[in-house]
Structure formats: structure tokens, C-alpha cells
Amino acid sequence: MSTSHASPRETTEGTVYTVTGGDWDEVVETAAKADDERLIVNMGPQHPSTHGVLRLILEMDGETVTEARCGIGYLHTGIEKNLEYRTWTQGTTFVTRMDYLTPFFNETAYCLAVEKLLGIEDQVPDRASIIRVLLMELNRLSSHLVCIATGGMELGATTIMIYGFRDRELILDIYELITGLRMNHAYIRPGGLAQDLPPGAVDQIREFVKKMKKNLPEYDKLATGNPIFKARMQDVGYLDLAGCMALGATGPILRSAGLPHDLRKAQPYCGYETYDFDVPTADSCDSYGRFLIRLEEMRQSLGIIEQCLDRLQPGPVMVSDKKIAWPAQLALGPDGLGNSLDHIKKIMGTSMEALIHHFKLVTEGFRVPPGQAYAAVESPKGELGVHVVSDGGTRPFRVHFRDPSFTNLQSMAAMCEGGQVADVIVAVASIDPVMGGVDR
Amino acid sequence: MSDTNGSNGVNPEKDLGASNLPGQRGEGGEEIRLQRGMFGANNGGDTSGYGGLVRSIRLPGPATRPYGGWFDEVADELEGALEEQGLVPENVIDRTVVDRDELTFHIEREYLLRVAQTLRDDPALRFELCTGVSGVHYPGDKGRELHAVYHLRSITHNRLIRVEVSAPDADPHIPSLVSVYPTNDWHERETYDFFGIVFDGHPALTRIMMPDDWQGFPQRKDYPLGGIPVEYKGAQIPAPDQRRSYS
Amino acid sequence: MGLEEKLPSGFLLTTVEQAAGWVRKASVFPATFGLACCAIEMMTTGAGRYDLARFGMEVFRGSPRQADLMIVAGRVSQKMAPVLRQVYDQMPNPKWVISMGVCASSGGMFNNYAIVQGVDHIVPVDIYLPGCPPRPEMLMDAILKLHQKIQTSKLGVNAEEAAREAEEAALKALPTIEMKGLLR
């Protein structure tokens, strides 16, 4: 009955053996009957060594991968369609769940695009922009930490994973203090922020920066010079500059090919042109170079965070236009919900119009003049672009996210073909795709 | 409806620039929908007393020279390069829109491939990086319902432009840009998957996000959101696309 | 009085069911079934600060054939649904499912064409865990509740009896749409 587990089937491509479990000896015996050594292995979509629900289809000759293809869409959530049935403000709740490791980048990119449509880029208060930068740089740290942690775990280096998640927890504590949530914040809103920093936040971030400066060198000690780590990563996942440009790869992949392209420098947003930081590059074009770039970017981010903290001046965090800003300065009530009792007293007691305005703004939302806009930010993975179309209504007509993970993942085949099967894991880990962003 | 427009004192054609009208911008752009009533309620009556109000919503129209900044330079270079290839720029570029500090070229679809090649290779243009394609479905833009929007970035000159191509619903074909920008491989598959735009010349145009046997193109405007009503203790809340809403 | 008092010291009496439940609950192997945001919180729960190893749960198995708990962590798309069911079918009995997060439990905010509106359409769920995403503490609480459930689960004839009772209770239960009263 050996054929039952690996039954041959004639196709236009030749004989195909479909292996579906069973006794391994029989499988090998049947496979040996084939006249070539080609073996097609389906990895995923549920697999511990792929980032999320990524499916890899590998054609192998022995241990060598001759062809590699990706199957994606296993986490397609229809977020772009859902956005079309919610107000512009509610949109942030959806976009934050796209690439769930970089929520603040999604929110900022979306809000920058909406602000461009509204024509209020110049009216966003400085404090809001600084806090956006602050949160984005914290987010860059936490995203890179997860990348290095899970990448290490996929290599079998569990210690790095424990280290990475240890430091990420410190950042999540800050998020929770500021936004109320560990992930999926919806804190950045078109026009500014949902609310101001709570008391104690600045001190906690300063404390964190101090601690992180001590912790970051541990990654160097543990991994950077580690011969096993280097042997697994060096010259693996090779993609040179021509390949990066053709495949549209951005972020650490592009910078590991030697091009210091970073939107924070090239097309600054949120006032990045006023911050002092470097764009690290490598010339090795490989996974190790990307790892080093991520480490260096984390150091640079710490520097930017310190600059943000020094700049923070008291002031508003939302545009002054009352047709866009929600009326209440939210304060946490005893019921755990955000309600400003003073504001409620005012609108219920003295101003019927304020009540109507509040009600309409929250339920119906504001209108955005028709047209389209594209805003891009440099997320930890590369260029995160948002294309927003408005038809003059209270809800987006179309929102499209150009997620860097989606584009970068295309380069998987170029990186893996011709290499060993074990190197596929390293290459995919160095791309750092997050399926929530890839599939949306 | 022009009579009623006159009677309630609002004429969308005449009062385009009026600042008291929401949702008006530019002029001469394609009309994408008509808004009726005060708040554009999608079901139920308009109790505001302005139920007869009709406004046409238009996208920003074509711009006139000078476009400002480096936009003129890019437009000149592109038109010059097209002339060198023996093409008439007016035939190739349907319109040039400058809106919100962004430059958009609307290209006739049969010339898309040559325009993209020029934009990428001309040393004065050098848009090396394509950030993919975004489909938009305008059911109200008759004859050009499906739009494919490309954003091209020049790292050399640090510029970003938008190239827009349209196709009618009845003939949803647009040439593929994979030969010029290989990065568009997955992007075009995604746009095909969601909007049904067929990119001619794509090496393997198959579904990418939805299951292979999926029926329909889910992000088109005529495809329902597909939500189910939520029941809870005697209350039933319809799916988001079935609720009363305003536009 | 009874047998207990005549036993020499060092002996404990229990039922086979309780002994089996105790053994089972102390060595639950979760299958890695991370899907979306919740998967990151699941990994966090396994990492240093929350340390799932304290409950003997840290051994996340790559192969469903070695696992007996599936933590469905995240939104399940229509495309993923058959894969999820296949992984569930490959797990050996007895097996349990925790539906982690509101997307897995009911579709949550993604009430649209792409997402399965609750993973219980595909596999039987033992514990529904709300939250978007649930905090690691909530996941640990769900796991401890599941441990309790495993501890008290029945064997053999008793299990069949319990299943029949549960079925009858479910048939008699009032559908949510017919429930009245305050929304809570």
C-alpha cells in the first residue's frame, strides 16, 4: 500500500507525488522511485518558524532550494473595505491592527494622509507631532526587538527571545500608561492625539531610556560577535541594491545594500528634519547586515526619544478647529471610561448647540473635501505608504496601505533560491514580515 | 433636478467656489457622485427640510501651468521625452492634476507601459521606486469606473509623483507594469483580486489574498461588506454597511 | 469509619477520573497556532515576565500531533479556516481549544467578507477569552480555568453522560435573540 501515501499523478509538468503523511519508510521508498531528486515541501501556513501564517512552497533538490514561492492571504482581514463604512476618526482603530507590531506607524501614516486631505498639516500642534515622533521611535524599538527576538528563536537561540521580550515589556508598559492599551492603541487621531500624556509618563520614559542603554549592549555581547550566530547569518539572504530597487524593497533590506535611503531624512514628516540622528547602513547585503542595522537603529531611536523628551512643552495636542477635534478633553472617570464631567455639565446644562455639535461630530464625523492624498512614513520595515481617497463624505472612499512587509516579502524568492533549506528561515526572519501587514 | 437647484438657491455649477458649501473643491474634475439632502442619509427620510438639496461631488480638476515648484520641470521633461519617442503628449497624458502639493498624471492606458519606462529611465526623471498600485472603484465615474493609482518615487531627485490610469467596468484591462517595475508583481495580483482589473502581460495573474475559488472582487463598491447582524439579548444590530449612515 | 482510616500513612485516595484529570492538566502541550495580534501576546505570555512555564505550559509544539491544546490566537480568515480545521483534526484526543481574543471568538470588529465570525463555526471551543488583544494575565487566567475544566472532566460512561447532559442543556437554552433585559 505504499502508493496510498505518495500516490503518483500525471500532470503536464510530469509525474507529481503527493505525500500526505503515513509511514516515513514508505514515503522515502516511493520518492526514491522518481527519476529525479526534486521534492516539493509545503511549509506552513501554520509553522513555528514562519512569521505568522506565511506559507512557503519550496522545491528542493536534496537540501538545496531550487525554487521558493510564498502563499499569502491567510490573514486577509478586509480592513481596507471595513474602513469605508466607518468615520475618518474611527479609521485609526482599524489601521492600528494592520501591522500589529507597528501600530503607531500605521496610525501616523493614516492620520498624515487624512490631514493632507483636510489641508491642516500646518495646524497640528507641535506637542502632538513630538509625541507622535516619541511614540513612533518607541515603536521602532519594540518592533526591532520582536524581530531580533523571534529571529533568534527561529535560529534556536532562545535566550535572545527572552531578552527581546523582556525589553519589549518595558516599552509596552509605557504604551499602556500613555494610551491605555499594550497593543492596538488608536491613540493618534486625525488632527493630533486622542489625549495628552498622563502624569509620570516623561519620567517613566527617561527611566526606560536609561535602562535600555544598559540593556542594548547585551545584544551585542550575546549575538553580534557570536560565531554560531554569524555563521548562520552572514552571506545568507543576499539581495543587492539592484535587486532591492527592482523588487521595491525598502527599510533595513535596502539599507543593508548600502543605500542610506530613509524617509525620515528624505521626505521628513512630523518634524523629523529637526532631530539629530544617523541612518545606519551596511554593505554586506545579507541577514547579518540587517541585524546590525536594526541594532544601530535602536540606538539612534533612543537618541531621538531623548531629544523628544527635551523638547516637550506644555500645549494643546489637537488642532484648534472644533469641527475636527472632539470637544472634550478626555479625563478618566471613576467608571473607567473617558468622560470630562465639566464638559458634560456645560453641554447638558448651558449649551444645547454644544450638545448637538458634540453628538454630530461623534456619531456622524467630519467631512473631508474630495480628492486623494498619499502619505508615507519610514516604518521599522520600510516605506509605509497610505493612499486615501475621499468623496467629500464623512467616511473614507478608499484607503490603501502600501505595507512594507508585503513588498519586502516578494524578495523572499530572490534571497532563498539556490541556498540551503535552513537558510530560508534566516532569510525570512531578516525580511521581518508581519502577516497582519502583508495581508491586511 | 436643475429646477429644484435653482429654487432652493444652490446651483452646483455656479456656486462651485462658495465656501459655505461643504465638499466642494476645484472645478472641472470628474463627477463621482450626487449628494442628496442635507446630510446625505443613505436610508430613511431627510427631516431637515433640505431633502431636495442636490450637490454634485467632483474630484479636483486639471491644473493649468505653471504647476509650481519642481512639478513643471517633471512635466516638461516627461512631455519632452514623449515627443522624442514620436508621441503627442496631449494624447498620452489625459490630464495633469495638481492638488494638495501632489502631482498626478492621468495617463491613457495604452501608453502606460511607455510612460512608465520613460519615467524610470530618463535621467532627468529617474523614478526608480514604484510603491505599488492601489485600485479605486468609482461607480459614479461613468466609462472610467476602475482606476489604478501608482505612486512613483525618485530617490535620485527625491520626488514623488502619482500616475493614474482608468478603465471602464465593461473592459477592465490595463497593461501590466511588471516588466518595468518587478515589484508590482504582487501589487497587481492584489488589485486584480480585489477589483477585477486585468493587468495584461502580468506573468501569473492569480488571486493572492482571497482563496483561489472565491467569487467576485470584494473591494469593489458593488460588493457588499459581507457582515452579519449581531444579536444580543433581544437586540439585533445590522452589519455596518446596512446601518443608517450619512455621507 | 471507612477505608481511608485503615490505610497506612503516605497513601491518598482519589477517583480514577480525578487522577487522570490531575495528570492531564499538569502537562498540557499547546500547539503554536498564532495568527495575528493575539499571537504576540501569547508569545509574551511564554516569555520571561509572565512565564507560562510556572503552569507547565511552556512547551509550545510545532507539530499538532504532539499537542493537545489549540490556542486560536487571532482573526481566522476564510482562507485559513480549512487549515485550522485540518490542524485540529491532526491533534490527538483528548484535545481542547481556547479561542483567544474577540476576533477568534466572534469575528469582533472585523464583521466582513474575509473573517470567519467566530472560530466555533469550525472547531468546538472550550474557553472563550475576550479582549483585543487579551492581556497575558487574561490568557493565564483562561489557561487556569481550562486546567480546572480538565481536572473535573469525566471518563468513559460518565463522559458520555456529561456530553448528553450538555447537549440537552444547550438545546433547552434560550437563544440570545429571545433574551430580554438589560444589555449586560
Side-chain angles (χ1 to χ4, degrees), chain A residues 46 72 82 169 176 182, chain C residues 32 41 44 77 79 112 135:
Chain A
Q46 181 267 336
I72 62 170
N82 254 92
E169 277 301 315
E176 197 180 350
R182 290 161 55 87
Chain C
T32 52
E41 287 296 64
T44 310
S77 69
K79 195 170 177 177
N112 63 16
R135 296 179 59 90

Side-chain angles (χ1 to χ4, degrees), chain A residues 204-375:
Chain A
Q204 187 165 342
I205 300 171
R206 279 200 199 281
E207 196 67 25
F208 160 76
V209 172
K210 219 186 289 170
K211 204 181 270 178
M212 200 61 204
K213 279 193 171 156
K214 220 162 57 201
N215 286 358
L216 266 184
E218 290 183 3
Y219 294 88
D220 278 325
K221 280 187 204 154
L222 188 67
T224 309
N226 186 328
I228 304 171
F229 201 71
K230 279 166 94 171
R232 283 300 303 275
M233 307 248 298
Q234 273 176 334
D235 299 325
V236 169
Y238 185 90
L239 192 70
D240 61 9
L241 187 55
C244 285
M245 293 312 297
L247 292 169
T250 46
I253 303 179
L254 182 61
R255 290 194 281 275
S256 77
L259 185 70
H261 174 67
D262 189 321
L263 287 175
R264 290 179 292 173
K265 290 276 188 200
Q267 305 251 311
Y269 49 90
C270 293
Y272 263 112
E273 66 275 15
T274 59
Y275 293 89
D276 181 30
F277 64 100
D278 294 329
V279 177
T281 56
D283 52 7
S284 54
C285 308
D286 62 358
S287 305
Y288 188 63
R290 285 164 214 147
F291 167 75
L292 293 182
I293 286 174
R294 289 198 173 101
L295 269 187
E296 184 53 36
E297 281 187 9
M298 297 200 320
R299 273 181 220 115
Q300 297 294 336
S301 290
L302 281 181
I304 301 177
I305 291 168
E306 282 187 320
Q307 293 173 42
C308 289
L309 293 177
D310 293 341
R311 280 180 196 196
L312 276 179
Q313 298 292 333
V317 292
M318 195 68 184
V319 289
S320 51
D321 187 349
K322 292 294 178 206
K323 289 288 170 196
I324 294 167
W326 278 16
Q329 183 63 43
L330 294 180
L332 198 64
D335 55 352
L337 298 172
N339 277 325
S340 164
L341 286 178
D342 288 341
H343 183 74
I344 292 172
K345 200 184 266 176
K346 182 177 157 236
I347 61 174
M348 296 298 279
T350 63
S351 175
M352 181 69 177
E353 290 74 21
L355 177 65
I356 294 172
H357 180 242
H358 189 154
F359 179 75
K360 274 181 70 74
L361 192 57
V362 173
T363 55
E364 190 182 313
F366 51 82
R367 287 188 168 71
V368 173
Q372 52 185 333
Y374 179 84

Side-chain angles (χ1 to χ4, degrees), chain B residues 128-182:
Chain B
E128 329 69 349
L129 190 69
C130 181
T131 63
V133 47
S134 156
V136 189
H137 186 211
Y138 296 99
D141 191 7
K142 293 288 174 233
R144 6 183 304 139
E145 285 90 349
L146 293 163
H147 288 227
V149 186
Y150 304 84
H151 293 92
L152 305 179
R153 187 180 286 287
S154 165
I155 294 178
T156 314
H157 301 296
N158 197 17
R159 290 167 180 167
L160 181 86
I161 58 163
R162 179 185 297 126
V163 170
E164 196 162 337
V165 189
S166 65
D169 240 346
D171 176 34
H173 288 266
I174 287 175
S176 166
L177 284 189
V178 175
S179 55
V180 181
Y181 296 110

Side-chain angles (χ1 to χ4, degrees), chain B residues 92-152:
Chain B
V92 177
I93 304 172
D94 180 33
R95 76 187 77 170
T96 310
V97 179
V98 177
D99 179 49
R100 296 172 169 97
D101 289 333
E102 290 179 340
L103 178 64
T104 311
F105 293 111
H106 288 254
I107 306 289
E108 292 295 336
R109 54 179 167 167
E110 53 268 38
Y111 299 108
L112 176 66
L113 205 57
R114 286 174 77 174
V115 170
Q117 185 92 40
T118 311
L119 285 171
R120 189 192 70 177
D121 293 342
D122 192 295
L125 297 167
R126 210 48 108 215
F127 289 92
E128 329 69 349
L129 190 69
C130 181
T131 63
V133 47
S134 156
V136 189
H137 186 211
Y138 296 99
D141 191 7
K142 293 288 174 233
R144 6 183 304 139
E145 285 90 349
L146 293 163
H147 288 227
V149 186
Y150 304 84
H151 293 92
L152 305 179

